[in-house]
Amino acid sequence: MLLSMSESMSYGLHIVLDGFQVSAEEISKRVIAEEILDSIGRMIEPEAISDTILFSFHDSLCPGISGATLLPESTLTIHFFPDTRKLTLKAFSRHQFRIGEIITLLNRRLGVGRFETVRRNHSRPAPRDETTLKRVLQGDRVYAHLRLEDLLKKDILRDFRDA
């Protein structure tokens, strides 16, 4: 199986999509995260049976919902940040898939105003154990939140107040 924890690295298409100006109302709903993960999973591996797991992180420094869809040769993770109207989606697969189709889905469903995309050819396998997966998603969520934080805007505001 592709995503066993004994593998340290898997090769295939790995994209990271960051979405900005997202509908805060929509990304506050667990059912939306599940719908999006399931839809993208069917795009990438139409015949596969997926396992979607969602977690709520409402008592954390970056509240919201995170989830993963685990497929035989693909992994999808999503993090919703309703407070800042941002999201991060990671999609990895040994199968070919169209990034544009995923962007269209996210735009139509969530009204994403702007995307930033990173493409790689490798990824670390996702754990199948739910406890370990939650811990991995929580760490990835904190990293994504810090990466998406508008540090420049905060520095500009501080500089104007100090002037």
Side-chain angles (χ1 to χ4, degrees):
M1 185 172 272
L2 167 69
L3 298 175
S4 69
M5 285 306 291
S6 61
E7 292 185 57
S8 61
M9 194 66 65
S10 296
Y11 294 90
L13 177 58
H14 178 200
I15 62 162
V16 179
L17 288 171
D18 295 327
F20 301 86
Q21 303 156 351
V22 182
S23 168
E25 182 181 340
E26 290 297 296
I27 63 172
S28 297
K29 302 173 186 173
R30 288 176 62 94
V31 68
I32 301 300
E34 186 171 16
E35 287 174 10
I36 288 172
L37 288 170
D38 288 344
S39 295
I40 296 170
R42 283 191 305 277
M43 284 180 196
I44 296 173
E45 287 191 56
E47 304 299 320
I49 296 172
S50 65
D51 184 17
T52 299
I53 303 167
L54 298 172
F55 301 100
S56 295
F57 294 101
H58 295 295
D59 295 332
S60 70
L61 295 173
C62 47
I65 298 163
S66 292
T69 292
L70 307 173
L71 296 154
E73 295 187 310
S74 308
T75 302
L76 307 166
T77 62
I78 199 161
H79 303 289
F80 286 165
F81 303 101
D83 291 355
T84 58
R85 298 181 53 213
K86 297 174 185 171
L87 69 83
T88 293
L89 171 86
K90 291 184 180 182
F92 170 77
S93 183
R94 289 191 179 173
H95 297 271
Q96 293 297 315
F97 60 93
R98 297 177 190 267
I99 298 169
E101 289 178 5
I102 295 172
I103 289 173
T104 298
L105 171 76
L106 293 173
N107 196 332
R108 285 185 183 156
R109 188 64 180 95
L110 301 174
V112 179
R114 180 174 62 88
F115 285 99
E116 290 181 6
T117 308
V118 174
R119 180 182 170 158
R120 300 184 181 115
N121 65 353
H122 63 278
S123 182
R124 289 215 159 103
R128 296 283 172 162
D129 170 67
E130 193 169 322
T131 303
T132 306
L133 179 62
K134 182 177 183 179
R135 195 171 63 237
V136 167
L137 284 175
Q138 188 170 22
D140 191 44
R141 177 180 187 77
V142 170
Y143 173 74
H145 179 43
L146 291 170
R147 188 173 48 76
L148 295 173
E149 192 171 340
D150 193 352
L151 298 174
L152 181 60
K153 182 178 177 182
K154 290 181 180 182
D155 290 341
I156 289 172
L157 292 175
R158 186 187 68 228
D159 292 343
F160 277 116
R161 282 190 296 251
D162 293 342

